[in-house]
């Protein structure tokens, strides 16, 4: 399972850095993107085994990243993360992500949650 290419997308620097640290400790090559527009550009240029993306981000949200990634010839596994937001918007986005992503991880989550989910998805790939 080690040495997989992971794209990590989150507009919150602290969350992105913490999750990146966990993924790198597992032996993965992690590329970080601070927003959805950068993530889509990276997906155009590179192949990823896994994308971990926040759902609610300004401008280009995680659902747009997921939709774009799903149409790649080498479709990566996808984990959508959400910490909420305005109640109705967050609920709609989470529902959409549940339909589109391989898994949804609700914030706050702990290290074991992400380790288990990443392991399960990459073993199944």
């Amino acid at each position: 399972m080690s040495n997989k290419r992971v794209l990590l997308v989150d507009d919150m620097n602290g969350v992105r850095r913490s999750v990146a640290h966990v993924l790198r400790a597992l032996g993965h090559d992690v590329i970080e993107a601070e927003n959805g527009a950068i993530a889509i550009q990276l997906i155009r240029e590179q192949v990823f085994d896994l994308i971990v993306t926040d759902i609610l981000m300004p401008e280009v949200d995680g659902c747009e990243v997921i939709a774009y990634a799903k149409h790649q010839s080498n479709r990566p596994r996808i984990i959508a993360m959400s910490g909420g937001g305005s109640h109705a918007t967050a609920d709609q986005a989470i529902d959409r992500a549940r339909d589109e992503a391989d898994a949804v991880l609700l914030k706050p989550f702990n290290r074991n949650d992400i380790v288990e989910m990443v392991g399960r998805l990459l073993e199944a790939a």
Side-chain angles (χ1 to χ4, degrees), residues 5 9 21-22 28-29 37 40 45 56-57 59 63-66 72 78-79 84-85 88-89 94 104 107-108 119-120:
R5 290 190 42 81
V9 189
H21 177 76
V22 170
H28 301 303
D29 178 18
I40 288 173
E45 298 169 353
L56 296 176
M57 295 182 288
E59 297 176 35
C63 291
E64 292 174 81
V65 172
I66 293 166
Q72 300 308 297
I78 302 169
I79 297 173
T89 302
I94 290 168
V104 174
K107 298 175 188 172
R120 184 171 36 88

Side-chain angles (χ1 to χ4, degrees), residues 46-49 69-77:
Q46 301 179 41
V47 174
F48 295 96
D49 299 295
K70 284 183 66 172
H71 292 95
Q72 300 308 297
S73 58
N74 294 316
R75 187 206 183 280
R77 306 295 285 184

Side-chain angles (χ1 to χ4, degrees), residues 30-124:
V30 180
I31 307 298
E32 297 178 44
E34 62 196 39
N35 63 53
I38 292 171
I40 288 173
Q41 184 61 40
L42 287 167
I43 295 166
R44 283 185 186 123
E45 298 169 353
Q46 301 179 41
V47 174
F48 295 96
D49 299 295
L50 175 68
I51 295 174
V52 180
T53 184
D54 189 22
I55 298 171
L56 296 176
M57 295 182 288
E59 297 176 35
V60 178
D61 68 19
C63 291
E64 292 174 81
V65 172
I66 293 166
Y68 187 83
K70 284 183 66 172
H71 292 95
Q72 300 308 297
S73 58
N74 294 316
R75 187 206 183 280
R77 306 295 285 184
I78 302 169
I79 297 173
M81 302 182 294
S82 180
S86 70
H87 189 66
T89 302
D91 287 347
Q92 289 174 345
I94 290 168
D95 287 345
R96 185 171 163 205
R98 285 188 201 283
D99 292 338
E100 301 290 324
D102 297 301
V104 174
L105 192 58
L106 299 177
K107 298 175 188 172
F109 52 84
N110 65 43
R111 182 185 192 286
N112 291 339
D113 295 333
I114 189 89
V115 168
E116 180 182 318
M117 188 171 286
V118 167
R120 184 171 36 88
L121 288 177
L122 290 178
E123 286 174 8

Side-chain angles (χ1 to χ4, degrees), residues 1-4 22-29:
M1 179 177 83
S2 64
N3 205 24
K4 300 289 187 176
V22 170
L23 295 172
R24 287 185 179 113
L26 292 172
H28 301 303
D29 178 18

